[in-house]
Amino acid sequence: GQGRIKGELNIPFTENSPYIELIAQTKDKRYNASRSFHIPVNRTEKQLSFFPEGGHLVAGVPNRVGFKAINRQGLGISVKGKIVDAKDKEVATFESTHLGMGSFKFTPKSGKEYSAIIEDKRFELPKSLSKGFVLNIQPSPQNRSILLLKSSSRKRKKFTIIAHCRGKAVFTISGEVNKKNPFTTMLYHNQFPSGILTITVFDGKFKPQCERIIFSSNPQKELQIEVDTTLNVAAPHEKVTLDFKVKNSKQSNANLSVVVVDEQLVKENPQHTHILSQLLLTSDIKGYIEQPNYYFKDNKTETRNALDLLMLTQGWRRFTWQNIIANKPNKLRQQIEKSLKVSGIVTKPNGKPVANATVTLLSLNTKLLKVAQTNQKGKFTFTNLHLYKDDRLVFNNMFATFYFIKLLIAP
């Protein structure tokens, strides 16, 4: 009666599936209702990933490395371990602080390989570069962040740092740096728009060397909305009027969305997203984000550090210039769409594809006529189609009595 199901499940230790599906059905035949639940299995299995800040480990200078530990369901789990070299000599220790995420610092040596050990399980760290820039950004009190740029070179190296938010440059600075003289500056978030900032370091030839993202929170630019709460109780079907006052908007009007819920039926869930987290956070980061509301609950140091770890790990990126210099650009997974394309498969009644079959496409509205041949897998494709709303299409082949044409939703 409380919406809870109690019981025990005897799951074998050898079960490989990450989830067990539990189906609950009503006993009363007059009411046919069922509900399925997915119960995670074997939460103790760990996966550990490492994310050097800025993209790469660089030998000879201190590096900050973010990490994230997840279970088989992809959820963050607490871990604690140590970093060792090839001879199992300890060089650093680490411990997660929020949803399996954390960071540690160490100075890799050129040509050396390193691993992380957790409960006798070993995970390899990325290999380090012999030279390069190292970018480090840490949250600071009073809604600021400290930016530190280091170089492994003894000679002075020119650099340019550009930060942009949603395609608009919001910060830029240039200078020189070497191994003994790092560059540091303060980032004031009240000067930036709210959201994700991409910060890129360019060398003297203006080639990007390292990059990371941070989250900028600017409460002064967020709408301060005051709601009239004088009405505490309302009778059923009574008309309710609420007054909303936007304090800090420079415009006379504002577009607002209002949702009214029953707090006894709809409980606040930190794992759910809301308008701010969707627009400013989850839409710009790949993958599933656990408890997105957590990062917007306040502006305390603990919350800001957790958000910075999310940017350092799940928002990690790096440049691979070797393929570009060698004129080997990444292959497109999907070709650029210049017009409409329709694909399909010709099969026999038993479902076997038909090769080298002729398929005709006829548009009854525009009097378009195209012919295509199926490949060895029975697939055909019509490209460069310029169709319009309400166009009626007819597909046919010369053996239509014996063959079937199945259109594909995706090419």
Side-chain angles (χ1 to χ4, degrees):
Q2 300 297 324
R4 298 179 180 178
I5 300 176
K6 295 183 179 180
E8 295 182 358
L9 292 175
N10 186 13
I11 301 175
F13 181 77
T14 56
E15 178 61 52
N16 293 323
S17 301
Y19 292 94
I20 294 293
E21 184 178 10
L22 174 65
I23 301 176
Q25 294 180 332
T26 56
K27 292 183 178 180
D28 195 335
K29 295 182 179 179
R30 295 175 299 174
Y31 305 98
N32 185 15
S34 65
R35 182 75 179 270
S36 62
F37 306 88
H38 290 83
I39 303 174
V41 177
N42 192 11
R43 286 183 173 269
T44 59
E45 185 175 337
K46 302 177 178 64
Q47 297 179 10
L48 189 60
S49 302
F50 297 95
F51 308 91
E53 187 171 15
H56 295 276
L57 287 176
V58 179
V61 291
N63 288 247
R64 183 187 179 203
V65 182
F67 66 88
K68 185 172 185 178
I70 59 175
N71 58 18
R72 293 185 64 190
Q73 286 74 42
L75 303 177
I77 53 177
S78 299
V79 292
K80 183 178 181 179
K82 61 182 180 179
I83 305 297
V84 298
D85 59 15
K87 297 181 180 180
D88 283 347
K89 180 181 177 181
E90 182 178 313
V91 297
T93 59
F94 63 92
E95 184 175 0
S96 60
T97 57
H98 178 72
L99 296 177
M101 296 179 289
S103 67
F104 60 90
K105 292 183 179 180
F106 85 113
T107 303
K109 295 181 179 180
S110 181
K112 300 293 184 179
E113 296 182 356
Y114 299 89
S115 303
I117 297 179
I118 301 178
E119 300 173 355
D120 297 329
K121 191 171 182 180
R122 187 179 294 264
F123 300 87
E124 293 185 359
L125 266 68
K127 295 182 179 180
S128 61
L129 301 178
S130 59
K131 58 182 179 179
F133 292 97
V134 173
L135 176 64
N136 176 243
I137 303 176
Q138 293 262 12
S140 178
Q142 299 179 359
N143 202 24
R144 300 178 298 178
S145 293
I146 300 175
L147 185 150
L148 178 65
L149 182 65
K150 295 169 284 188
S151 173
S152 61
S153 174
R154 298 179 183 272
K155 298 181 180 180
R156 301 185 71 87
K157 296 290 185 180
K158 293 182 179 181
F159 71 86
T160 298
I161 299 175
I162 297 178
H164 66 86
C165 181
R166 295 184 282 274
K168 182 179 180 180
V170 295
F171 175 83
T172 180
I173 194 168
S174 300
E176 293 183 344
V177 65
N178 62 9
K179 190 171 184 179
K180 292 185 178 181
N181 297 284
F183 170 80
T184 182
T185 188
M186 190 72 71
L187 302 176
Y188 298 90
H189 292 268
N190 59 359
Q191 299 178 359
F192 306 139
S194 295
I196 291 180
L197 268 65
T198 303
I199 299 177
T200 309
V201 178
F202 299 85
D203 63 10
K205 297 181 180 180
F206 224 76
K207 290 183 178 180
Q209 298 297 312
C210 48
E211 183 178 271
R212 70 157 296 190
I213 62 174
I214 64 172
F215 191 89
S216 174
S217 177
N218 191 343
Q220 297 179 357
K221 293 188 177 181
E222 295 178 2
L223 291 180
Q224 303 297 324
I225 303 174
E226 188 179 273
V227 183
D228 178 16
T229 57
T230 56
L231 180 66
N232 295 323
V233 179
H237 304 291
E238 178 184 356
K239 181 180 178 180
V240 176
T241 302
L242 296 176
D243 292 329
F244 296 87
K245 182 179 181 180
V246 181
K247 293 183 177 181
N248 61 338
S249 177
K250 296 181 180 180
Q251 300 179 354
S252 58
N253 297 320
N255 293 324
L256 304 176
S257 297
V258 179
V259 177
V260 180
V261 298
D262 188 337
E263 290 185 347
Q264 295 182 351
L265 299 177
V266 181
K267 301 297 182 180
E268 184 178 0
N269 189 338
Q271 295 186 5
H272 290 169
T273 187
H274 53 55
I275 293 177
L276 283 180
S277 63
Q278 173 64 31
L279 292 178
L280 302 180
L281 181 63
T282 57
S283 60
D284 286 339
I285 294 184
K286 296 180 180 179
Y288 171 73
I289 298 179
E290 289 185 66
Q291 302 180 13
N293 288 6
Y294 173 87
Y295 304 106
F296 292 85
K297 65 185 184 72
D298 54 51
N299 202 35
K300 296 181 179 179
T301 302
E302 180 183 359
T303 307
R304 292 186 62 204
N305 287 335
L307 181 55
D308 186 66
L309 287 175
L310 180 69
M311 301 293 104
L312 182 62
T313 55
Q314 202 158 328
W316 178 83
R317 68 277 307 281
R318 70 177 178 186
F319 293 101
T320 53
W321 281 100
Q322 293 80 2
N323 291 338
I324 298 177
I325 295 175
N327 198 23
K328 294 181 179 179
N330 293 332
K331 294 182 179 180
L332 295 175
R333 295 183 179 180
Q334 297 290 343
Q335 295 297 321
I336 298 176
E337 226 175 18
K338 298 181 179 180
S339 59
L340 296 177
K341 180 170 66 173
V342 178
S343 299
I345 296 178
V346 177
T347 65
K348 294 181 179 180
N350 59 5
K352 186 177 180 180
V354 181
N356 300 321
T358 301
V359 181
T360 58
L361 167 62
L362 175 63
S363 172
L364 301 180
N365 298 67
T366 60
K367 298 182 180 180
L368 172 70
L369 177 64
K370 281 183 172 289
V371 180
Q373 295 288 126
T374 60
N375 59 17
Q376 296 300 316
K377 296 182 179 180
K379 182 178 179 180
F380 64 89
T381 302
F382 291 100
T383 59
N384 296 324
L385 298 178
H386 298 279
L387 304 174
Y388 303 92
K389 183 180 179 181
D390 298 330
D391 270 2
R392 294 174 295 168
L393 304 179
V394 176
F395 296 87
N396 196 6
N397 67 76
M398 59 183 302
F399 300 104
T401 306
F402 307 101
Y403 294 166
F404 296 94
I405 297 177
K406 178 182 179 182
L407 294 181
L408 302 177
I409 296 177

